[in-house]
Amino acid sequence: MDWMVILNIVILLALIGLLIFMQRKHVSFSKRVFTGLGLGIVLGALLQWVYGSGSETLATTTDWYNVVGRGYINFLMMIVVPLVMVSIIQAITNLEKSAQLGKMAGWIIGILIVTTMVAAMIGIGAAAIFDLSAEEITVGEAEQERAASLEERYSSQVETVSTPQRILNFIPSNIFFDMTGQRSTSVIAVVIFSIFVGVAVLGVRRKNPEQAEMFTKIVNAVYAVVMRIVTLVLRLTPYGILALMANMIASTDFAGILELGKFVLASYVALGVMFILHLVLVGLFGLNPLNYLRKVLPVLSFAFTSRSSAGTIPLNISAQKNALGVDQGVANMSASFGATMGQNGCAGIYPAMLAFMIAPSVGIDPLTMDFLVPLILIIGFSSFGIAGVGGGATFAALIVLSSMGLPVGLAGLLISIEAFIDMGRTALNVNGSMVSGTLTSRILGNFNTKVFNDKTAIEEAKSL
């Protein structure tokens, strides 16, 4: 192994040691998370400055850093399925009536889809203001290969799958297969199965209360163990963010970002406007937006660096329940649904901007109602089942563009900046799910205002 790689590993271990020292000094969890974030930015910038983005030493270094960064994400993904399943079953068994479940799911899904359609309009507005056009995108060899790959993927995975078939994919035919997370709709499938189990327990409780009570005790015991595992994994968050951010900065193609600077700027302006709208919604429901922002920042910082809405589910649930005061059942469902549907950034803003840019190239005026209304509706309905991992935005774009009869190759021409923009989109996706949970809990009257106003209740900082 190159001695420079060994030196880089030693530096990472030293920074991890610093974070461990901060933990032993009882520095708050949120401060350790942001310290890890800052140290990762500095370390990544130094690595790229010293070695250059195409260096073999840098590639080997980031590969070793992934043991910490991607390893942490794998730990989170490991607990997603058991957490979602057990927590939703427990939440439903605590309901007095199954009708409450319908209201909860209806409000969560409604808020997710409506905000995604609003995000699409904001994306269109940003593309129009910045006068974005597909013809401005420079085509290189890598971009041409990616465009050809997407065309092939479109014909095999998107064009042959109708909307009814995509809806049918939500329904689990083999729950054990979906527990492995092999499908983009696996999380929703697990949620649906868990809902069936929870509703079945409510039915058993009316006829055989003793059996229902026994099952409930088992579920509560398993839930306690799962939550303890979640706590143990979440303690690794500062170290995971450190490594993830270092790798992201070190491997980012800043030349590509500068070359496509107008698209990058328009994308982040749209993301910023939608994020502000989220805070406005929180304020309209009688909650302090700044207090909300302070409590969700640790979660959003992880979503930003990991680019995984699904991997953020455990942090999402924990923050909603312990920092925001959202009802446990609402938090479980909004985090799970938000990772696979109604993603404001990936399924809303991004496909809308691409459709606006491509339309003129095929002779369509993108500012006419005949184009805008179908586009926004398609974005809303097609946002179901988008995988909450890196690449989900591209798949969402393929579905929307093909449904609108537009060529899909443009997504391949943005290969050099995809990861950089995807970080912001993922953070917005996660924030959208947290907003849907907060508003739904507020509407249903089971929101804990005391916890929300408690400035010390941030992401279980006391126990982490």
Side-chain angles (χ1 to χ4, degrees):
M1 186 187 300
D2 187 349
W3 70 270
M4 292 299 292
V5 174
I6 296 176
L7 176 61
N8 296 335
I9 295 174
V10 170
I11 292 174
L12 177 65
L13 293 176
L15 295 178
I16 291 176
L18 175 61
L19 293 173
I20 293 175
F21 175 78
M22 293 175 65
Q23 181 181 6
R24 291 179 175 176
K25 290 295 182 181
H26 305 292
V27 176
S28 71
F29 177 73
S30 58
K31 288 181 180 179
R32 284 184 278 126
V33 167
F34 287 115
T35 299
L37 180 67
L39 292 174
I41 292 173
V42 174
L43 178 58
L46 288 174
L47 289 174
Q48 181 160 133
W49 177 67
V50 172
Y51 302 107
S53 58
S55 167
E56 182 178 347
T57 299
L58 181 60
T60 305
T61 297
T62 55
D63 199 27
W64 277 101
Y65 282 14
N66 274 332
V67 173
V68 178
R70 303 307 302 182
Y72 173 62
I73 293 179
N74 288 346
F75 277 130
L76 285 171
M77 296 300 294
M78 172 189 73
I79 61 176
V80 164
V81 169
L83 174 62
V84 169
M85 177 175 290
V86 178
S87 59
I88 286 182
I89 292 174
Q90 192 209 44
I92 294 176
T93 56
N94 289 334
L95 296 176
E96 295 181 1
K97 299 179 180 178
S98 58
Q100 295 175 311
L101 176 63
K103 292 181 180 179
M104 184 191 306
W107 277 109
I108 291 172
I109 295 174
I111 293 172
L112 286 171
I113 301 306
V114 170
T115 54
T116 298
M117 296 170 73
V118 172
M121 291 187 281
I122 291 175
I124 293 169
I129 292 173
F130 283 85
D131 194 25
L132 298 180
S133 171
E135 298 175 355
E136 297 177 354
I137 306 299
T138 303
V139 180
E141 182 178 351
E143 288 79 8
Q144 289 177 334
E145 292 178 357
R146 177 68 179 272
S149 174
L150 286 182
E151 293 283 0
E152 182 180 353
R153 181 181 179 184
Y154 158 64
S155 61
S156 62
Q157 296 188 26
V158 179
E159 191 177 37
T160 57
V161 180
S162 65
T163 299
Q165 288 174 320
R166 282 198 292 271
I167 295 175
L168 188 62
N169 285 336
F170 299 157
I171 302 175
S173 59
N174 185 340
I175 190 60
F176 297 103
F177 178 76
D178 282 315
M179 286 181 183
T180 65
Q182 295 300 306
R183 301 193 300 151
S184 62
T185 56
S186 285
V187 174
I188 289 184
V190 170
V191 169
I192 292 174
F193 176 78
S194 303
I195 289 174
F196 268 95
V197 174
V199 172
V201 173
L202 294 180
V204 172
R205 183 179 292 166
R206 290 192 295 270
K207 297 181 179 180
N208 300 288
E210 293 182 359
Q211 295 179 357
E213 183 65 23
M214 181 182 298
F215 182 84
T216 301
K217 288 182 179 179
I218 295 174
V219 169
N220 289 337
V222 174
Y223 178 79
V225 174
V226 169
M227 290 308 298
R228 183 56 186 169
I229 296 174
V230 170
T231 299
L232 294 175
V233 173
L234 293 188
R235 285 178 176 174
L236 304 175
T237 301
Y239 320 121
I241 285 183
L242 166 64
L244 287 168
M245 182 55 73
N247 273 2
M248 187 277 295
I249 296 294
S251 57
T252 296
D253 182 5
F254 290 101
I257 293 174
L258 292 175
E259 185 177 340
L260 298 171
K262 190 162 75 167
F263 180 80
V264 173
L265 179 60
S267 297
Y268 270 93
V269 166
L271 293 171
V273 171
M274 191 62 203
F275 188 81
I276 292 173
L277 181 59
H278 284 170
L279 297 181
V280 171
L281 287 173
V282 170
L284 290 176
F285 276 76
L287 302 173
N288 186 330
L290 294 180
N291 193 32
Y292 168 87
L293 178 62
R294 188 172 62 88
K295 294 195 170 195
V296 302
L297 273 178
V299 181
L300 299 185
S301 64
F302 172 77
F304 185 85
T305 54
S306 68
R307 296 173 54 205
S308 175
S309 298
T312 313
I313 287 177
L315 289 88
N316 189 336
I317 293 175
S318 178
Q320 286 195 57
K321 184 177 66 172
N322 300 298
L324 295 177
V326 175
D327 173 72
Q328 177 179 312
V330 175
N332 296 333
M333 194 166 291
S334 63
S336 304
F337 282 167
T340 48
M341 67 173 67
Q343 298 180 3
N344 292 183
C346 290
I349 290 175
Y350 186 64
M353 292 182 69
L354 293 190
F356 181 92
M357 295 169 65
I358 295 172
S361 67
V362 293
I364 299 176
D365 183 356
L367 293 177
T368 62
M369 297 303 293
D370 290 340
F371 177 80
L372 293 176
V373 173
L375 174 62
I376 293 171
L377 291 176
I378 287 173
I379 285 176
F381 287 112
S382 66
S383 67
F384 287 85
I386 302 301
V389 294
T394 300
F395 191 72
L398 292 177
I399 295 174
V400 172
L401 295 177
S402 62
S403 299
M404 294 292 294
L406 300 173
V408 302
L410 177 63
L413 306 184
L414 302 172
I415 182 175
S416 61
I417 59 172
E418 173 66 18
F420 184 75
I421 299 178
D422 196 42
M423 293 187 298
R425 292 193 302 245
T426 305
L428 183 66
N429 295 341
V430 172
N431 193 62
S433 72
M434 298 178 81
V435 168
S436 72
T438 300
L439 301 189
T440 297
S441 187
R442 190 77 165 163
I443 291 169
L444 298 179
N446 51 25
F447 185 82
N448 192 328
T449 307
K450 183 178 179 180
V451 171
F452 181 85
N453 292 328
D454 183 1
K455 295 183 179 180
T456 63
I458 300 180
E459 191 52 29
E460 291 187 316
K462 295 178 180 178
S463 61
L464 293 176

